[in-house]
Amino acid sequence: MALPTEIIGGRLIDGSSFLPTSKMLMNQRVGMVKRNQFLGSPVLVPSQQIRRQEQLKRAVRAPVAAISEDIIKTNNKTTVPEKAVNFKVRAVVTVRNKHKEDLKETIVKQLDSLTDKIGRNVVLELISTDVDPKSKEPRRSKPAALRDWSKKSNLKAERVHYTAEFTVDSNFGVPGAITVINKHQQEFFMESITIEGFACGPVHFPCNSWIQSKKDHPGKRILFSNKPYLPSETPAGLRALREKELRDLRGDGKGVRKLSDRIYDFDVYNDLGNPDKSVSLTRPSLGGKTIPYPRRCRTGRLPMDSDITAESRVEKPLPLYVPRDEQFEESKQNTFSAGRLKAVLHTIIPSLKATISAENHDFSGFSDIDILYKEGLLLKVGLQDEIWKNLPLPKVVTKIQESSEGMLKYDTPKILSRDKFAWLRDDEFARQAVSGVNPVSIESLKVFPPKSNLDPEIYGPQESAFKEEHILGHLNGLSVSQALEENKLFIIDYHDVYLPFLDRINSLDGRKAYATRTLFFLTPLGTLKPIAIELSLPPAGLNSRSKRVVTPPMDATSNWVWQLAKAHVCSNDAGVHQLVNHWLRTHASLEPFILAAHRQMSAMHPIFKLLDPHMRYTLEINALARQNLINADGVIESCFTPGRYCMEISAAAYKSSWRFDKEGLPADLIRRGMAVPDPTQPHGLKLLIEDYPYAQDGLLIWSAIENWVRTYVERYYPDSSLVCNDKELQAWYSESINVGHFDLRDADWWPKLETTDDLVSVLTTIIWLASAQHAALNFGQYPYGGYVPNRPPLMRRLIPEENDPEHANFLADPQKYYLLALPSSAPSNHMISIGYSDHTSKNYFSLLILAL
């Protein structure tokens, strides 16, 4: 005979004090119960031997939480339970405490602990996956309050566990959702809920969400269990809740968003400028017919007084809206502490020094730059005591400075760690093109000389100034046509990116730039070497010389011309890396997919569950970037050559070259001519440069992601018709394109989403961009850019021609002129601080905001 304790699970019955004696009536001669319709059709273990009737009588006093609705067969007789019987199950709720609380939060927390005793508490309600056949509504438990909130309110543990008891009846089914009402005054972070007492075993609810006070958000908060459901498979009891939760997340597109809201919506980038503060801070809106751009998260702030099309600014330290659950968790913020502290100190001290001495000096020699890593700024200025006394810093900061002599020194960047002069050499310059911080710009050269795609009537002849005589001596005996045929020539081409903006950039104070092209030759050793650099300026007239070619040096003077040309290439590269390859391709272009995922796919959707870890924190990082990174007079404009035109360059790249179908690694390598299809190779591609670390490592990661995604997708979509008929999935992809990328919605290159293969490709690309691609473009910034001469973010001098007034100064002291072309001490320190915060905290965009 099957004992009830074995049906429900003996451990829960025998070891749980929360299941009291029930008045349930049950035939004493119980046979084996059939499997009922709970989650996964749980297997009910029959008795292995006949037990005494007295044991059965004792056992049946405990309620059977999942008593079958099937007919119970006993000795060829059938018995049907007369009515459903109530019983109790337990919830274990994990709440994560804050590490730090301000005075207001502490006071409110104490008030909540007092009022919790009188009914202003946290109330939960279980909702079944089944529908009551009479009411046609989901079956619900009786509401239950969290216990012992007052007793545990002062616990200092990171996680506190509470319990609640629910009363359900034996027809309840399996819990699929929980609603929560927070009657306290203060929000709290609910990490998880586990329901114990059902025959199917524990039911888990991974919440990881802030539960707002009822006074701010009167509605019930809906949380779903961790079992995924496609929309068509949603149990009847959860269908209405699934739709309601999505409606709540979409909002109505109106009003100003509160920081406690969980609403995801779209808007254009109309909040980068601040014309109310100064006309010079006016910036165009990005997104729309005039300047296409991806959409960002809507905040609904009021318009500027001086420009009703521009959204008003929120400046630090005030927070910018992102949906509440997208904000950094406290533990995530704490990981940034060391990087923040060092970056802020390094930025504050030079500013204080500049204020005291009224000096922002140029570097007189490379030794001045080396001091930043050897001696540290405070040690150099000799004003430690005075500065520390006047700084409004917490005591802990002072103690750190006193106990750590190197606290205010920068770590030696990787580029200097083995050879401090490596950055000057051509082989290192070429190596960084394929394994540096921006290894995604190099292309195979297919036509010589290369040509521009810009309008020749505006920007001059499309043909490059490169001639065969410039490069023949560097091709190891090959002709140019042979080198092209054998795939030996490569190029980094920033001509079309910069040329339309050069007149405006070069009119800015302290900014000078060229539009560069750099040719590389693949040597028999399999390494690259630079063989020519083209420096272009907008044509000033019919006979103006707007293009100049520089080749490897033959003497000391031409060596410094070559070094200056490489510096301008690196400055171009730094701008494209940050504005296009990093920000646009791995941050801004993903935001529409993230917003649409929250708006159109339920948390129960298996594809949402797959994407969720990769979407985490991106909205918060992007919002912080809008606040202090890419905004008018922000960090990017201050540190990079294009200045106020930085984001217009980013938008121009989005319009002219961004294509989602080419963002996956294999497609990108083929587009750039760095690989050709080859089914005999492990990844179906043959690299034209075997020593291409970014591509070699990247293909391994891409394949791993793709294999995992394919296995996951095929689990839920064994047939392509399921992809086409998944209304949430199709709505997500459609909204990502037609709303999030509205300005490019009519492009014919958008991939279809009709088959399982289509879905695997789209998801792999998104996950690749959010994870591995971002890491490749982000985490090398300080190792390479931490030494400003290696990657100067801006340049202040052009290379003088023979008839230029500055040419004599250049000939007299080329090294001094070179240093004058680099950023001065304050901007250099600013830029190093930015990269250093990334180096110590591993998140560039979220920390750039600290270097103010």
Side-chain angles (χ1 to χ4, degrees):
M1 289 186 295
L3 295 178
T5 54
E6 292 174 312
I7 296 174
I8 191 171
R11 181 185 62 82
L12 291 175
I13 290 292
D14 297 336
S16 299
S17 62
F18 60 87
L19 294 174
T21 302
S22 170
K23 295 181 180 178
M24 184 177 73
L25 298 178
M26 188 174 185
N27 193 308
Q28 293 180 357
R29 301 180 64 190
V30 182
M32 185 175 71
V33 183
K34 289 184 179 181
R35 292 165 52 181
N36 65 0
Q37 301 302 312
F38 289 98
L39 178 63
S41 296
V43 177
L44 305 181
V45 183
S47 174
Q48 301 301 316
Q49 64 182 31
I50 301 177
R51 300 183 188 276
R52 294 181 182 178
Q53 193 171 20
E54 291 77 14
Q55 290 177 309
L56 179 59
K57 290 179 179 179
R58 289 196 298 270
V60 298
R61 293 182 187 136
V64 178
I67 185 170
S68 175
E69 293 181 9
D70 294 333
I71 297 175
I72 301 174
K73 297 182 180 179
T74 306
N75 293 337
N76 298 322
K77 297 180 181 181
T78 59
T79 303
V80 179
E82 295 182 2
K83 63 177 181 178
V85 180
N86 290 339
F87 61 93
K88 293 185 178 181
V89 294
R90 184 177 71 164
V92 179
V93 179
T94 302
V95 172
R96 188 186 303 166
N97 278 336
K98 288 187 176 181
H99 296 167
K100 298 177 182 178
E101 294 178 340
D102 58 30
L103 180 59
K104 179 181 178 181
E105 288 174 330
T106 301
I107 293 173
V108 174
K109 183 177 180 179
Q110 294 302 317
L111 289 174
D112 283 340
S113 69
L114 294 174
T115 57
D116 187 85
K117 297 178 180 179
I118 59 173
R120 291 177 56 179
N121 46 20
V122 178
V123 179
L124 289 71
E125 187 178 26
L126 275 181
I127 300 176
S128 173
T129 56
D130 295 339
V131 172
D132 187 306
K134 294 181 179 179
S135 66
K136 307 301 182 183
E137 295 291 329
R139 300 183 189 274
R140 297 174 181 267
S141 71
K142 294 181 179 179
L146 287 189
R147 293 178 170 182
D148 299 329
W149 189 281
S150 297
K151 293 181 180 179
K152 298 181 178 181
S153 62
N154 291 322
L155 290 180
K156 301 302 181 183
E158 181 179 1
R159 290 173 176 83
V160 180
H161 303 288
Y162 300 92
T163 61
E165 286 187 358
F166 297 99
T167 299
V168 296
D169 65 42
S170 51
N171 293 327
F172 183 81
V174 176
I178 294 177
T179 61
V180 183
I181 299 177
N182 177 13
K183 300 180 184 179
H184 293 166
Q185 296 295 301
Q186 189 164 269
E187 66 176 7
F188 65 89
F189 189 83
M190 183 175 285
E191 188 173 84
S192 65
I193 303 173
T194 299
I195 307 299
E196 299 176 335
F198 286 92
C200 59
V203 181
H204 300 287
F205 291 76
C207 309
N208 293 310
S209 183
W210 290 96
I211 307 300
Q212 299 301 322
S213 170
K214 183 179 178 181
K215 67 181 178 62
D216 297 319
H217 295 268
K220 294 180 179 180
R221 182 63 194 282
I222 304 169
L223 301 165
F224 296 105
S225 74
N226 64 345
K227 180 172 174 58
Y229 294 103
L230 293 176
S232 60
E233 299 171 348
T234 308
L238 302 181
R239 290 171 191 163
L241 289 177
R242 183 171 187 149
E243 294 176 0
K244 181 182 186 305
E245 174 73 353
L246 286 175
R247 287 196 302 271
D248 291 344
L249 290 170
R250 294 184 197 117
D252 60 5
K254 301 176 181 178
V256 179
R257 298 272 67 84
K258 299 182 296 183
L259 293 176
S260 59
D261 285 345
R262 292 173 58 251
I263 295 177
Y264 298 78
D265 205 354
F266 299 91
D267 207 345
V268 297
Y269 282 74
N270 62 348
D271 61 342
L272 302 181
N274 193 352
D276 284 358
K277 184 177 181 180
S278 172
V279 175
S280 65
L281 297 179
T282 301
R283 297 291 183 272
S285 292
L286 306 182
K289 185 176 181 180
T290 304
I291 307 180
Y293 211 62
R295 298 305 189 257
R296 49 93 173 178
C297 183
R298 179 185 178 275
T299 67
R301 297 192 304 271
L302 297 175
M304 293 274 185
D305 293 334
S306 57
D307 183 358
I308 61 171
T309 64
E311 193 172 83
S312 56
R313 295 276 304 166
V314 173
E315 306 291 357
K316 293 294 289 183
L318 297 176
L320 194 62
Y321 171 77
V322 293
R324 183 63 180 100
D325 290 340
E326 301 299 321
Q327 298 171 27
F328 289 147
E329 293 179 11
E330 196 172 16
S331 59
K332 177 79 171 178
Q333 292 173 331
N334 290 341
T335 62
F336 301 152
S337 297
R340 286 182 169 188
L341 175 60
K342 295 180 182 181
V344 169
L345 291 179
H346 276 298
T347 306
I348 290 176
I349 301 310
S351 300
L352 290 176
K353 183 191 171 187
T355 302
I356 295 171
S357 62
E359 178 187 3
N360 176 22
H361 64 82
D362 298 317
F363 293 117
S364 59
F366 291 105
S367 59
D368 287 357
I369 302 175
D370 294 341
I371 287 175
L372 300 176
Y373 314 101
K374 290 182 178 179
E375 297 182 16
L377 290 170
L378 286 182
L379 298 176
K380 179 184 176 183
V381 300
L383 297 173
Q384 298 97 312
D385 294 339
E386 181 180 347
I387 290 177
W388 279 100
K389 289 178 182 178
N390 293 326
L391 277 177
L393 298 173
K395 292 181 179 180
V396 64
V397 176
T398 305
K399 290 179 180 178
I400 292 175
Q401 189 270 342
E402 291 172 350
S403 63
S404 179
E405 195 175 285
M407 181 66 199
L408 296 181
K409 296 179 187 177
Y410 295 115
D411 292 341
T412 301
K414 180 182 178 182
I415 188 64
L416 301 178
S417 59
R418 294 185 179 180
D419 183 351
K420 64 182 295 185
F421 298 111
W423 65 275
L424 281 167
R425 295 199 301 266
D426 288 354
D427 60 346
E428 177 62 21
F429 175 78
R431 186 190 71 82
Q432 291 184 34
V434 291
S435 61
V437 70
N438 187 36
V440 297
S441 289
I442 189 168
E443 303 175 68
S444 175
L445 185 65
K446 299 301 182 184
V447 177
F448 186 88
K451 291 186 177 181
S452 167
N453 292 318
L454 298 175
D455 186 345
E457 294 186 4
I458 301 175
Y459 300 108
Q462 293 180 317
E463 292 76 15
S464 165
F466 287 133
K467 305 297 182 184
E468 289 196 6
E469 55 264 29
H470 291 135
I471 63 173
L472 273 177
H474 303 283
L475 301 184
N476 201 38
L478 298 177
S479 68
V480 173
S481 60
Q482 287 176 318
L484 288 173
E485 185 177 344
E486 296 180 18
N487 295 314
K488 299 293 186 181
L489 290 176
F490 297 85
I491 187 171
I492 294 180
D493 191 346
Y494 294 137
H495 179 276
D496 290 6
V497 176
Y498 278 90
L499 195 66
F501 298 91
L502 283 186
D503 279 335
R504 287 174 283 173
I505 291 173
N506 290 336
S507 66
L508 298 173
D509 185 35
R511 311 290 175 104
K512 290 293 183 282
Y514 295 101
T516 66
R517 289 186 176 110
T518 307
L519 290 182
F520 298 89
F521 176 69
L522 183 63
T523 70
L525 296 175
T527 59
L528 294 173
K529 71 173 183 179
I531 58 176
I533 295 173
E534 180 187 77
L535 306 171
S536 297
L537 294 170
L542 292 177
N543 298 318
S544 66
R545 182 184 177 188
S546 60
K547 298 178 180 179
R548 174 180 183 177
V549 176
V550 181
T551 55
M554 303 297 293
D555 53 42
T557 301
S558 61
N559 176 65
W560 284 106
V561 173
W562 179 247
Q563 296 298 340
L564 277 167
K566 289 196 298 182
H568 275 283
V569 172
C570 289
S571 182
N572 272 194
D573 190 69
V576 171
H577 162 254
Q578 207 60 266
L579 299 169
V580 180
N581 295 333
H582 187 186
W583 165 252
L584 173 63
R585 294 175 65 183
T586 69
H587 284 267
S589 66
L590 288 182
E591 188 157 346
F593 291 97
I594 296 170
L595 291 170
H598 285 279
R599 288 167 51 86
Q600 301 297 341
M601 285 195 292
S602 167
M604 291 189 287
H605 200 293
I607 301 305
F608 182 90
K609 290 179 179 293
L610 175 67
L611 290 176
D612 188 43
H614 306 286
M615 302 187 297
R616 196 83 183 274
Y617 301 130
T618 299
L619 296 184
E620 169 83 342
I621 292 171
N622 289 4
L624 294 173
R626 298 203 317 275
Q627 192 172 38
N628 272 314
L629 172 64
I630 61 174
N631 60 301
D633 206 28
V635 174
I636 290 293
E637 287 193 3
S638 300
C639 291
F640 289 84
T641 300
R644 62 179 295 156
Y645 305 108
C646 280
M647 290 307 294
E648 291 184 58
I649 287 178
S650 180
Y654 176 70
K655 179 180 180 180
S656 65
S657 61
W658 185 86
R659 289 182 52 164
F660 181 75
D661 64 324
K662 302 298 184 183
E663 287 299 285
L665 179 59
D668 177 57
L669 291 172
I670 293 172
R671 171 177 63 172
R672 291 188 284 118
M674 300 302 293
V676 293
D678 186 346
T680 67
Q681 296 297 312
H683 307 290
L685 294 178
K686 179 182 178 181
L687 295 176
L688 299 188
I689 301 177
E690 291 186 8
D691 186 15
Y692 189 2
Y694 161 78
Q696 290 174 324
D697 296 346
L699 286 171
L700 292 171
I701 299 172
W702 171 272
S703 295
I705 295 172
E706 184 179 43
N707 290 338
W708 158 242
V709 170
R710 182 173 299 280
T711 301
Y712 186 92
V713 165
E714 289 177 351
R715 163 66 178 80
Y716 295 98
Y717 298 93
D719 187 274
S720 291
S721 63
L722 294 172
V723 174
C724 295
N725 295 326
D726 187 332
K727 62 178 183 179
E728 287 185 5
L729 183 71
Q730 294 296 332
W732 162 67
Y733 191 58
S734 176
E735 187 172 66
S736 298
I737 296 171
N738 295 310
V739 181
H741 288 279
F742 178 83
D743 305 320
L744 299 181
R745 69 193 185 281
D746 295 326
D748 59 6
W749 43 254
W750 282 104
K752 302 293 184 181
L753 189 58
E754 298 174 348
T755 68
T756 301
D757 286 342
D758 294 342
L759 180 57
V760 169
S761 177
V762 168
L763 295 176
T764 303
T765 299
I766 291 174
I767 293 173
W768 161 259
L769 292 171
S771 57
Q773 179 79 323
H774 177 264
L777 296 168
N778 182 66
F779 295 140
Q781 290 179 101
Y782 186 76
Y784 292 105
Y787 188 67
V788 170
N790 183 58
R791 285 181 66 79
L794 65 84
M795 295 292 287
R796 297 186 294 156
R797 299 282 193 280
L798 298 175
I799 303 175
E801 302 279 2
E802 290 186 5
N803 57 348
D804 290 339
E806 289 186 320
H807 191 257
N809 295 330
F810 170 71
L811 293 177
D813 193 341
Q815 178 176 306
K816 180 179 180 181
Y817 189 92
Y818 181 91
L819 290 167
L820 288 174
L822 298 179
S824 59
S825 60
S828 294
N829 186 75
H830 195 182
M831 190 60 200
I832 297 171
S833 298
I834 294 167
Y836 192 72
S837 64
D838 163 59
H839 171 65
T840 54
S841 71
K842 301 301 182 190
N843 200 307
Y844 180 87
F845 274 108
S846 61
L847 284 166
L848 277 173
I849 62 165
L850 296 163
L852 302 177

